[in-house]
């Protein structure tokens, strides 16, 4: 064995052998975010962010330049840091357009894209004090070598270099959502604004982001799978712990234990009448026995989000009124999913859902007529939205636009009857939504959230055959017991 060790240490001079394990003593450069060298468990060689290669980012820039008019310039600022208190920031999340074009996950930068300059990145400079407290950040070297920018400068050079770039352009596009005074107060920028030659860049970036690449779809499927597993475990957990806050915490825990970085949005966990509040987020109530709970949840995995909703009775069985309404929403969900195909539009699917729900609610006796005003009090939402890097993705793309393969949408019919509803008492305070993620394919659709049950009999069987949810910890305990 000693001879083997000596041979290994001689052959691999830059590695050391201790306890029969190899570890590399080469210095890995910290660029402030994971790289294949620093985080081989997250990124493969050639990837700039997990699952997305450097070549794909370069292709995105090329496609954006093809959309930009001649002699125009695009400016995209990174998302700002938002403070919770004077010294405590909220968790940072990068602007989707900036991330889509650069791959940089850090604040403080401004990217400029043009036909003449290619990708030019103005990067923040790390001060020794900041490095001590916050760690390394990506600078000029990272912009050139990691993010593959054509040019890069420290951010302090922006006011010196960017004005000439703007003056050489007849039209300017920028991301209005993250616009910063650093460039907006430049005289050259203000002159183009005065001449009405400044536009929102999102009209182009959303067009590109609308249709997902194979690599993006792989991440979206993984994100959906994590959310489905987490929600299933949470459903099982709900019978023992019927509290909104606990269920929200359980879902977040299960997602993060499976690799998600954060929630896609603040979980909606509405028990009983709270389920009729569409974006309810207090999550501070105990769920009464016999009430439904509506959970609208999603997670973010490496820049791509999931979004799904299920409604169920933690006690294990639907009441007759709950089941009657639930079956109407379920049938609407299934029929609308079947309409998802190339050439259809969200608007067409929405209009169909309105007709179906109005008819069903009238037959049940909840609606006295087909009037749109009374219906929209019970469901003021759209049947769905685009999904991708953001929850309500690509908002610049019309809901009238014919769907294409590679587009991901949600299908989420619902009914929200407040406790003050002027109608039959048995329906008051019931909120139901069933939401699925749907990928448009060449031949039709693929439901990315199909693994989470939504049939009444399946939900009741699930809840009544398991008194406690099997989550990450329980799975590990089961494996340990069987070994």
């Amino acid at each position: 064995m000693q001879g083997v060790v000596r041979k290994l240490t001689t052959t691999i001079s830059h590695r050391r052998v201790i306890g029969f394990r190899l570890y590399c003593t080469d210095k890995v450069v910290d660029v402030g975010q994971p790289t294949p060298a620093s985080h081989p468990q997250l990124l493969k060689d050639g990837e700039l962010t997990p699952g997305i290669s450097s070549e794909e980012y370069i292709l995105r820039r090329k496609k954006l330049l093809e959309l930009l008019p001649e002699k125009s310039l695009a400016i995209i600022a990174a998302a700002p840091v938002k403070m919770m208190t004077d010294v405590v920031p909220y968790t940072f999340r990068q602007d989707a357009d900036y991330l889509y074009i650069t791959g940089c996950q850090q604040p403080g930068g401004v990217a400029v894209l043009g036909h003449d300059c290619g990708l030019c990145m103005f990067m923040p400079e790390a001060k020794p004090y900041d490095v001590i407290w916050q760690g390394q950040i990506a600078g000029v070297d990272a912009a050139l070598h990691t993010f593959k920018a054509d040019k890069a400068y420290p951010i302090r050079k922006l006011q010196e270099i960017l004005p000439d770039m703007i003056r050489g352009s007849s039209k300017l596009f920028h991301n209005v959502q993250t616009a910063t005074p650093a460039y907006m107060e430049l005289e050259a920028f203000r002159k183009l604004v005065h001449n009405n030659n400044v536009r929102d860049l999102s009209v182009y970036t959303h067009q590109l982001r609308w249709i997902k690449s194979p690599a993006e779809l792989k991440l979206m499927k993984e994100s959906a799978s994590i959310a489905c597993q987490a929600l299933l475990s949470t459903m099982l957990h709900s019978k023992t712990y019927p509290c909104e806050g606990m269920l929200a915490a359980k879902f977040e825990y299960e997602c993060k234990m499976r690799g998600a970085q954060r929630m896609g949005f603040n979980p909606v966990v509405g028990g009983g009448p709270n389920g009729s509040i569409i974006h309810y987020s207090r999550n501070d109530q105990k769920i009464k026995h016999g009430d439904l709970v509506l959970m609208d949840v999603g997670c973010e995995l490496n820049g791509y989000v999931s979004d799904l909703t299920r409604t169920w009775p933690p006690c294990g069985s639907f009441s007759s009124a709950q089941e009657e309404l639930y079956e109407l929403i379920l049938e609407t969900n299934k029929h609308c999913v079947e309409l998802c195909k190339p050439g259809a539009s969200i608007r067409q699917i929405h209009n169909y859902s309105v007709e179906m729900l109005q008819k069903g609610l009238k037959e049940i006796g909840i609606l006295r007529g087909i009037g749109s005003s009374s219906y929209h009090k019970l469901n003021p939402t759209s049947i769905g939205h685009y999904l991708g890097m953001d929850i309500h993705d690509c908002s610049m793309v019309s809901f009238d636009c014919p769907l294409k393969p590679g587009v991901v949408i949600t299908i989420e019919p619902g009914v929200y009857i407040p406790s003050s509803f002027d109608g039959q008492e048995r329906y008051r305070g019931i909120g139901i939504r069933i939401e699925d993620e749907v990928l448009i394919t060449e031949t039709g659709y693929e439901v990315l959230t199909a693994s989470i049950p939504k049939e009444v009999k399946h939900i009741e069987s699930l809840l009544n055959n398991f008194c406690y949810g099997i989550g990450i910890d329980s799975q590990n305990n089961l494996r340990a017991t069987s070994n």
Side-chain angles (χ1 to χ4, degrees):
M1 179 58 73
Q2 291 178 348
V4 173
V5 170
R6 281 197 298 272
K7 186 175 180 180
L8 282 171
T9 53
T10 302
T11 306
I12 312 173
S13 59
H14 69 286
R15 295 176 184 259
R16 294 178 183 173
V17 181
I18 293 182
F20 312 120
R21 294 190 180 189
L22 297 178
Y23 71 93
C24 183
T25 59
D26 291 346
K27 184 178 180 181
V28 175
V29 177
D30 184 357
V31 301
Q33 69 183 56
T35 65
S38 66
H39 292 70
Q41 75 278 15
L42 293 180
L43 292 91
K44 298 177 182 176
D45 287 340
E47 290 182 347
L48 180 49
T49 57
I52 307 292
S53 67
S54 294
E55 287 78 7
E56 182 156 332
Y57 280 98
I58 293 170
L59 180 61
R60 291 172 178 179
R61 299 163 198 164
K62 181 181 177 182
K63 288 181 177 179
L64 180 54
L65 283 172
E66 290 172 354
L67 293 176
L68 290 176
E70 287 295 325
K71 292 185 67 65
S72 66
L73 201 68
I75 301 177
I76 317 172
V81 173
K82 297 180 181 179
M83 302 304 292
M84 185 163 57
T85 68
D86 56 346
V87 296
V88 180
Y90 286 103
T91 301
F92 179 75
R93 183 181 188 268
Q94 187 58 279
D95 172 75
D97 282 341
Y98 186 85
L99 179 60
Y100 185 80
I101 295 300
T102 68
C104 181
Q105 299 171 339
Q106 300 164 75
V110 175
V112 180
L113 192 68
H115 295 282
D116 295 329
C117 66
L119 175 65
C120 176
M121 295 181 71
F122 293 90
M123 304 298 288
E125 299 171 90
K127 298 179 178 63
Y129 177 86
D130 294 329
V131 173
I132 290 172
W133 285 90
Q134 301 169 11
Q136 286 291 347
I137 61 172
V140 171
D141 287 343
L144 294 171
H145 300 117
T146 302
F147 306 123
K148 311 299 181 185
D150 299 291
K151 299 177 182 178
Y153 305 96
I155 195 71
R156 58 184 163 81
K157 292 275 190 179
L158 184 140
Q159 295 191 352
E160 174 186 333
I161 296 170
L162 187 55
D164 286 337
M165 299 172 73
I166 294 175
R167 280 191 284 268
S169 306
S170 59
K171 200 172 289 270
L172 192 113
F173 297 86
H174 73 131
N175 191 339
V176 176
Q177 296 297 319
T178 56
T180 170
Y183 68 82
M184 291 183 70
E185 292 179 356
L186 296 173
E187 182 181 349
F189 182 90
R190 291 159 73 173
K191 184 176 180 180
L192 284 179
V193 171
H194 179 73
N195 294 328
N196 199 31
N197 285 320
V198 177
R199 299 284 187 275
D200 191 341
L201 180 65
S202 296
V203 70
Y204 293 129
T205 53
H206 287 193
Q207 184 178 334
L208 292 176
R209 285 167 46 194
W210 189 52
I211 299 176
K212 275 63 179 178
S213 70
E216 290 179 295
L217 289 177
K218 186 173 186 295
L219 287 171
M220 291 203 67
K221 290 178 180 181
E222 290 174 357
S223 181
S225 176
I226 288 173
C228 284
Q229 293 174 58
L231 185 55
L232 180 62
S233 180
T234 304
M235 291 174 72
L236 294 169
H237 192 78
S238 68
K239 195 167 187 179
T240 308
Y241 300 96
C243 299
E244 294 171 349
M246 290 183 180
L247 298 184
K250 175 68 172 175
F251 178 80
E252 182 170 357
Y253 168 79
E254 295 291 345
C255 283
K256 289 186 174 180
M257 287 297 289
R258 289 171 170 82
Q261 287 78 40
R262 59 175 66 89
M263 296 294 90
F265 51 93
N266 192 43
V268 173
V269 188
N274 292 334
S276 64
I277 303 171
I278 296 166
H279 282 171
Y280 173 79
S281 61
R282 284 176 52 181
N283 301 339
D284 59 3
Q285 189 60 270
K286 184 172 183 178
I287 303 160
K288 295 179 182 177
H289 185 85
D291 278 351
L292 298 175
V293 61
L294 183 157
M295 282 196 69
D296 185 350
V297 289
C299 64
E300 182 175 324
L301 177 71
N302 300 322
Y304 291 84
V305 297
S306 49
D307 186 9
L308 67 154
T309 307
R310 289 294 185 266
T311 308
W312 71 93
C315 69
S317 60
F318 289 83
S319 71
S320 59
Q322 291 168 350
E323 184 172 351
E324 194 174 17
L325 281 172
Y326 187 92
E327 289 290 359
L328 172 61
I329 302 304
L330 179 61
E331 287 306 305
T332 305
N333 169 280
K334 292 194 286 190
H335 280 290
C336 288
V337 166
E338 291 172 357
L339 295 176
C340 296
K341 60 183 178 181
S345 71
I346 289 181
R347 185 87 61 200
Q348 290 173 347
I349 300 171
H350 172 74
N351 291 339
Y352 175 85
S353 73
V354 170
E355 291 178 6
M356 189 170 179
L357 287 173
Q358 282 183 333
K359 182 175 181 291
L361 291 172
K362 185 180 179 183
E363 290 174 351
I364 291 173
I366 292 176
L367 283 181
R368 296 185 177 89
I370 301 292
S372 61
S373 60
S374 55
Y375 167 77
H376 287 296
K377 289 179 181 177
L378 301 180
N379 185 1
T381 68
S382 170
I383 188 61
H385 52 81
Y386 303 122
L387 193 66
M389 298 182 79
D390 290 326
I391 287 295
H392 284 249
D393 205 45
C394 303
S395 59
M396 298 295 284
V397 179
S398 170
F399 282 181
D400 292 307
C401 197
L403 297 171
K404 296 181 180 180
V407 173
V408 180
I409 66 174
T410 65
I411 293 295
E412 46 182 305
V415 62
Y416 314 96
I417 305 175
S419 299
S420 59
F421 174 64
D422 182 19
Q424 297 180 51
E425 185 177 353
R426 65 198 300 259
Y427 299 119
R428 291 177 190 167
I430 295 178
I432 297 171
R433 177 161 64 252
I434 304 172
E435 178 182 17
D436 283 303
E437 293 180 31
V438 183
L439 164 65
I440 307 302
T441 66
E442 294 285 349
T443 57
Y445 65 87
E446 177 184 351
V447 180
L448 304 186
T449 49
S451 64
I452 193 82
K454 58 186 178 182
E455 299 285 345
V456 168
K457 62 181 179 180
H458 294 158
I459 291 173
E460 291 185 340
S461 175
L462 185 78
L463 294 169
N464 292 318
N465 286 292
F466 294 87
C467 63
Y468 187 81
I470 298 180
I472 290 289
D473 290 338
S474 301
Q475 290 173 11
N476 292 338
N477 291 338
L478 286 173
R479 279 194 287 267
T481 302
S482 62
N483 289 336

